[in-house]
């Protein structure tokens, strides 16, 4: 029986922000995606903090990883592309979203869930000397730094919180508890403009004041802030509160860029939505969470409403994408407030009644952990069943990696090149085997190379940047200046509208890399297939002799400009095992051009870019061509964050075994040794340089922000790679 053809992509659903409602929609989507829809999530970073556990994290009860929803894993589960950059504008007429550093992203249906902030620019000195309690991730990071400084004596443990209420009180108690736990006596002050700390029940006020007294928190009510300086909060009555860490928690403020969009807004900058969560006047645009204002059923800015709205939002997004009717969201009138009191004690308040104790903290912890476990333990989707009957020698294989992890093994390629006839011409100066061919064109020398990559991220714009940097590596490694490129693009099956949007993204990002290094796209070819494949044929001009693999000398030092482990991290990301923060750091480095590296290493005796055959394979190529032995210092080789742990856990890219067989390293073992054979995409430049210049060159590379290192040296002997 023939396999049914894949469904063509016809609609773009774009979700702006990784807030609680969007995170739940993504999880639900992953369990039941709508065929024909390309799902995109735009978020500034790889994680989204869960607000319910923030006070516990500040107090030290939870680690940062426990606080964060890993959007990289969640996007992989949902089959979504994740664009890790902040949105800056929405044009509901053109149906585009402007993303910082990425230009415009088109949509058919979109949703907004970007939360709020607590910055208070209206207070003189706030921007320079204080921080808002939201965005949570920025506050949590700054607090961790201050806590270490206070614990070490580098900063006085004096903290001020502008604004009481539940949020300010919780955070003040959490910070006081954390400081006391680190062995310093805290001086935390809550500054509230109103007559009471929270304006809730008398019982709640009593519990909060009791907890504040226990942990050394002073509450000033009926007090207004005039300005903030580096070490104090200056009050309206002329007094001041000494503070070395000042936090704003006096209200919820909308992100300013939304107000500049042509959307229906409240006076204070929140997006107006109807009862179905659709932005007023725009049936194809939704908003939820704290950034939205439900005019018919207004509610406080609280995460519980974002969570409760998620099932309705998920259903309505599908409905609009299918042309079906939507349904209303009916929020509850009141909700249970569980308020942390510094230590593992909580206050419960609902319907005007309050109660406090350790059991309530445990209850709160169970609720929070249950919510987060939805994203920590994503449902395992069953793979397609293996065929009942298979030919001799056939077996089910690991899912093919993307990038250089999907390359044909070096042994098969080497044998194919040997079998291919090469006549040799006077104007063809190098034959198969080096990074690029060198051609004599009149009086000029030109290098030419080609590279194609199977996509490993659904963010096709980012993939285009990485593929371009990857292809340019062969030009840079031969000491040439990039000149021109032909692009070859294979797109998944999609409608003409999505083709146009996708090609525009790809060409914009690839073109930006090429123009940035003095080259340009001069043509190419497009087609459709089962998945994304990006290829570039690149030319470059070289003055004098090209740098090849064959010029290395005994006594040279080996310099590597970029860490290894990319293939392992990418393979783990496909399997849902890599940390989102590690994946983001890797992708950012892979997308970074290395023209400045090539300039610094322009006097190298031999040079190559480390790509599909791994560090060992490409170093072996230099040894073989130059007739030397490489003595490698394994501990000196830089490694991408997370790669070592993943390699120790047995994660391997699909071409790893072929690389190991083709270029064994004498003496390698363990996880770090395994990474020597890990295929790299857009890997670093590996250069053999005069030993006396090596440290100076590495210092110059590091000054440009490259994680470069001297990783070994070359000696006389039969070609080999050994560990020193």
């Amino acid at each position: 029986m023939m396999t049914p053809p894949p469904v063509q992509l016809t609609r773009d659903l774009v979700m702006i922000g990784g807030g609680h409602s969007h995170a739940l929609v993504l999880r639900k989507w992953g369990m039941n995606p709508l065929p024909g829809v390309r799902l995109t999530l735009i978020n500034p970073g790889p994680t989204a903090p869960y607000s319910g556990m923030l006070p516990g994290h500040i107090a030290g009860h939870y680690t940062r990883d426990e606080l964060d929803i890993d959007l990289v894993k969640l996007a992989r589960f949902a089959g979504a592309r994740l664009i890790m950059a902040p949105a800056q504008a929405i044009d509901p007429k053109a149906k585009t979203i402007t993303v910082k550093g990425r230009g415009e992203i088109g949509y058919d249906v979109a949703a907004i869930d970007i939360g709020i902030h607590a910055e208070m620019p209206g207070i003189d000195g706030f921007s320079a000397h204080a921080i808002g309690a939201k965005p949570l991730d920025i506050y949590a990071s700054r607090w961790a730094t201050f806590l270490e400084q206070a614990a070490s004596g580098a900063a006085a443990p004096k903290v001020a919180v502008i604004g009481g209420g539940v949020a300010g009180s919780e955070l003040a108690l959490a910070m006081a508890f954390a400081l006391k736990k680190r062995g310093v006596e805290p001086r935390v002050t809550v500054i509230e403009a109103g007559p009471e700390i929270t304006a809730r029940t008398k019982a709640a006020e009593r519990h909060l004041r009791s907890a504040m007294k226990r942990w050394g928190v002073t509450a000033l009510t009926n007090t207004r802030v005039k300005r903030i300086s580096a070490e104090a909060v200056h009050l309206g009555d002329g007094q001041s509160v000494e503070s070395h860490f000042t936090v704003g928690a006096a209200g919820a403020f909308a992100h300013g860029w939304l107000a500049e969009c042509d959307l229906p807004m409240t006076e204070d900058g929140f997006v107006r939505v109807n009862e179905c969560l659709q932005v007023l006047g725009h049936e194809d645009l939704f908003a939820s969470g704290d950034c939205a204002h439900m005019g018919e059923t207004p509610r406080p800015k609280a995460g519980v409403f974002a969570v409760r709205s998620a099932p309705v939002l998920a259903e309505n997004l599908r409905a609009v994408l299918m042309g079906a009717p939507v349904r209303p969201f009916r929020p509850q009138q009141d909700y249970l407030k569980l308020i942390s009191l510094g230590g593992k004690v909580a206050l419960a308040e609902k319907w005007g009644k309050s109660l406090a104790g350790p059991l309530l903290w445990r209850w709160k912890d169970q609720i929070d952990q249950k919510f987060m476990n939805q994203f920590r333990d994503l449902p395992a989707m069953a793979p397609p069943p293996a065929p009942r009957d298979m030919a001799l020698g056939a077996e089910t294989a690991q899912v093919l990696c993307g990038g250089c992890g999907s390359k044909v093994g070096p042994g098969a390629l080497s044998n194919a090149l040997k079998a291919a006839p090469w006549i040799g011409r006077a104007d063809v100066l190098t034959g198969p085997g080096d990074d690029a061919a060198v051609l004599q064109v009149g009086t000029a020398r030109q290098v030419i190379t080609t590279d194609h990559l199977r996509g490993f991220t659904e963010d096709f714009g980012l993939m285009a940047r990485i593929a371009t940097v990857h292809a340019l590596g062969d030009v840079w490694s031969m000491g040439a200046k990039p000149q021109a490129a032909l692009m070859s693009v294979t797109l998944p099956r999609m409608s003409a509208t999505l083709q146009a949007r996708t090609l525009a993204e790809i060409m914009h990002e690839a073109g930006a890399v090429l123009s940035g290094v003095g080259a340009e796209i001069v043509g190419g070819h497009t087609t459709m297939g089962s998945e994304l494949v990006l290829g570039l044929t690149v030319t470059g001009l070289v003055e004098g002799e090209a740098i090849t693999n064959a010029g290395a000398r005994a006594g040279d030092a080996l310099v590597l400009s970029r860490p290894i482990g990319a293939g392992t991290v990418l393979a783990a990301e496909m399997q849902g095992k890599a940390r989102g923060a590690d994946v983001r750091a890797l992708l950012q480095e892979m997308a970074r051009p290395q023209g400045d590296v090539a300039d610094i290493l322009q006097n190298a005796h031999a040079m190559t870019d480390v790509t599909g055959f791994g560090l060992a394979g490409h170093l072996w190529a230099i040894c073989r061509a130059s007739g030397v032995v490489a003595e490698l210092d394994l501990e000196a080789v830089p490694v991408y964050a997370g790669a070592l742990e993943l390699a120790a856990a047995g994660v391997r890219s699909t071409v790893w075994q072929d690389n190991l067989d083709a270029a064994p390293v004498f003496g390698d073992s363990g996880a770090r040794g395994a990474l020597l054979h890990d295929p790299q995409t857009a890997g670093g430049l590996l250069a053999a340089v005069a030993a006396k210049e090596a440290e100076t060159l590495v210092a110059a590379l590091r000054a440009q922000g490259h994680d470069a290192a001297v990783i070994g040296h070359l000696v006389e002997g039969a070609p080999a790679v050994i560990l020193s």
Side-chain angles (χ1 to χ4, degrees):
M1 183 177 68
M2 294 183 63
T3 302
V7 176
Q8 177 176 258
L9 297 173
T10 62
R11 290 288 183 271
D12 267 320
L13 169 58
V14 181
M15 304 176 74
I16 308 168
H20 300 353
S21 62
H22 278 188
L24 289 165
V25 169
L26 284 163
R27 185 181 186 277
K28 193 175 183 68
W29 188 278
M31 299 175 70
N32 183 27
L34 181 62
V37 176
R38 176 170 63 178
L39 176 59
T40 300
L41 174 64
I42 299 170
N43 194 71
T47 60
Y50 170 50
S51 59
M53 295 174 76
L54 176 66
H57 168 67
I58 297 299
H61 306 319
Y62 304 118
T63 66
R64 182 57 194 271
D65 281 348
E66 291 176 303
L67 173 72
D68 284 337
I69 299 170
D70 193 319
L71 297 178
V72 174
K73 291 181 179 179
L74 185 57
R76 171 65 69 176
F77 173 76
R81 62 171 174 165
L82 173 58
I83 298 177
M84 287 180 277
Q88 294 180 311
I90 302 171
D91 185 337
K93 295 179 180 177
K95 292 191 177 183
T96 59
I97 299 155
T98 302
V99 180
K100 185 178 181 180
R102 289 294 301 272
E104 294 181 346
I105 303 295
Y107 70 87
D108 295 292
V109 178
I112 312 166
D113 181 16
I114 59 172
I116 55 176
H117 72 87
E119 299 288 331
M120 305 170 73
I123 298 178
D124 184 26
F126 187 96
S127 299
H129 305 298
I131 185 172
K134 291 187 177 184
L136 308 184
D137 51 349
I138 298 174
Y139 162 55
S141 178
R142 290 269 294 273
W143 165 250
T145 300
F146 175 78
L147 183 60
E148 290 302 319
Q149 293 172 340
S152 66
K158 298 174 182 179
V159 176
V161 179
I162 303 173
V166 171
S169 300
E170 270 192 306
L171 293 179
L173 289 165
M175 289 187 288
F177 176 85
L179 287 165
K180 207 152 194 171
K181 188 177 178 182
R182 295 297 296 270
V184 294
E185 194 61 35
R187 282 181 55 186
V188 180
T189 304
V190 175
I191 305 169
E192 168 58 42
E196 297 176 331
I197 301 173
T198 66
R200 304 203 74 83
T201 64
K202 289 183 178 180
E205 188 86 3
R206 186 173 64 253
H207 285 303
L208 282 168
R209 286 191 177 274
S210 174
M212 287 179 176
K213 183 178 180 180
R214 183 182 315 122
W215 298 115
V217 177
T218 301
L220 302 179
T221 55
N222 292 313
T223 304
R224 296 195 175 273
V225 174
K226 183 177 180 180
R227 66 183 180 91
I228 301 170
S229 62
E231 297 183 351
V233 177
H234 303 274
L235 307 177
D237 60 2
Q239 301 295 311
S240 63
V241 173
E242 190 175 355
S243 174
H244 292 248
F245 189 80
T246 302
V247 182
F253 303 96
H255 290 282
W257 67 266
L258 275 178
E260 299 174 7
C261 303
D262 186 17
L263 298 173
M265 313 292 290
T266 63
E267 290 184 2
D268 48 358
F270 295 96
V271 183
R272 293 183 181 274
V273 298
N274 63 20
E275 61 180 358
C276 299
L277 303 175
Q278 292 166 303
V279 176
L280 297 182
H282 302 279
E283 295 183 351
D284 51 15
L285 184 60
F286 292 76
S288 61
D290 289 346
C291 71
H293 174 73
M294 297 178 288
E296 298 180 26
T297 54
R299 294 291 186 272
K301 302 299 181 186
V304 63
F305 298 114
V307 171
R308 295 289 178 88
S309 70
V312 176
L313 177 62
E315 189 176 318
N316 286 350
L317 289 171
R318 292 178 71 93
V320 171
L321 288 162
M322 294 188 297
V326 294
R327 72 179 180 91
F329 168 54
R330 307 291 188 192
Q332 68 268 39
Q333 290 293 326
D334 196 9
Y335 63 99
L336 175 68
K337 296 93 179 170
L338 289 168
I339 305 167
S340 298
L341 299 179
K344 292 186 177 182
V345 176
L347 165 66
E349 194 269 343
K350 188 177 182 181
W351 301 119
K353 296 183 179 180
S354 301
L355 185 66
L359 288 177
L360 291 170
W361 191 91
R362 293 178 197 167
W363 186 25
K364 173 176 167 51
D365 177 61
Q366 289 177 355
I367 293 171
D368 290 337
Q369 297 289 2
K370 181 179 179 181
F371 177 82
M372 288 299 291
N373 284 338
Q374 297 178 92
F375 307 105
R376 295 169 183 155
D377 306 316
L378 293 167
M381 308 308 286
R388 186 185 64 180
D389 300 320
M390 292 187 286
L392 291 172
E395 60 181 4
T396 55
Q398 175 184 340
V399 176
L400 189 64
C401 291
C404 277
S406 62
K407 291 189 71 156
V408 173
L413 178 59
S414 175
N415 292 332
L417 288 173
K418 289 177 183 177
W422 186 63
I423 302 172
R425 296 167 40 133
D427 57 350
V428 180
L429 305 182
T430 63
D434 225 305
D435 290 335
V438 182
L439 310 177
Q440 188 74 44
V441 183
T443 59
R445 289 189 175 183
Q446 184 186 61
V447 301
I448 183 168
T449 183
T450 190
D451 240 309
H452 286 67
L453 294 176
R454 180 173 182 262
F456 51 75
T457 173
E458 294 297 320
D459 182 352
F460 290 0
L462 176 61
M463 188 68 216
R465 292 189 72 90
I466 293 172
T468 306
V469 171
H470 178 81
L472 286 167
D474 289 341
V475 174
W476 286 321
S477 69
M478 300 195 78
K481 298 294 184 183
Q483 179 190 27
L486 295 169
M487 284 206 71
S488 176
V489 180
T490 300
L491 294 177
R493 289 175 59 89
M494 56 180 63
S495 67
T497 300
L498 267 65
Q499 288 176 37
R501 288 175 185 165
T502 305
L503 285 172
E505 288 182 34
I506 289 171
M507 300 305 286
H508 179 272
E509 297 304 313
V513 173
L514 288 164
S515 63
V517 297
E520 60 182 306
I521 299 173
V522 295
H525 179 75
T526 58
T527 187
M528 282 198 291
S530 60
E531 60 183 359
L532 176 73
V533 178
L534 294 177
L536 290 96
T537 298
V538 185
T539 64
L541 298 176
V542 60
E543 296 181 6
E545 297 293 329
I547 304 173
T548 67
N549 290 335
R553 308 165 190 172
D556 280 352
L558 294 168
V559 172
L560 180 64
S561 70
R562 185 168 281 185
I564 64 172
T568 296
V569 175
L570 291 177
E573 190 276 325
M574 289 180 62
Q575 301 168 31
K577 297 177 180 178
R579 291 179 68 249
D582 295 339
V583 174
R584 185 196 194 190
L586 168 66
L587 295 175
Q588 286 180 327
E589 185 69 6
M590 292 167 70
R592 182 180 178 185
Q594 296 191 85
D596 57 342
V597 174
D599 289 341
I600 292 170
L601 299 176
Q602 60 182 316
N603 293 320
H605 299 152
M607 188 154 59
T608 186
D609 62 330
V610 179
T611 53
F613 301 152
L615 176 58
H618 289 281
L619 181 53
W620 166 238
I622 288 179
C623 293
R624 190 172 61 245
S626 301
V628 292
V629 176
E631 292 186 344
L632 197 62
D633 180 356
L634 188 58
E635 293 299 319
V637 178
V639 173
Y640 281 115
L644 202 58
E645 296 80 4
L646 292 166
V651 176
R652 300 288 186 271
S653 186
T654 44
V655 79
W656 181 86
Q657 186 62 53
D658 289 333
N659 284 350
L660 174 65
D661 295 341
V665 176
F666 294 101
D668 71 325
S669 63
R672 191 173 283 273
L675 290 177
L676 295 178
H677 309 283
D678 186 53
Q680 306 304 292
T681 304
L685 299 186
L686 172 65
V689 303
K692 63 182 181 181
E693 300 175 359
E695 294 298 339
T696 300
L697 292 171
V698 167
L701 291 169
R702 286 186 169 272
Q704 294 295 318
H706 298 282
D707 189 9
V710 176
I711 63 169
H713 60 280
L714 302 175
V715 298
E716 294 182 352
V721 179
I722 63 175
L723 298 185
S724 59

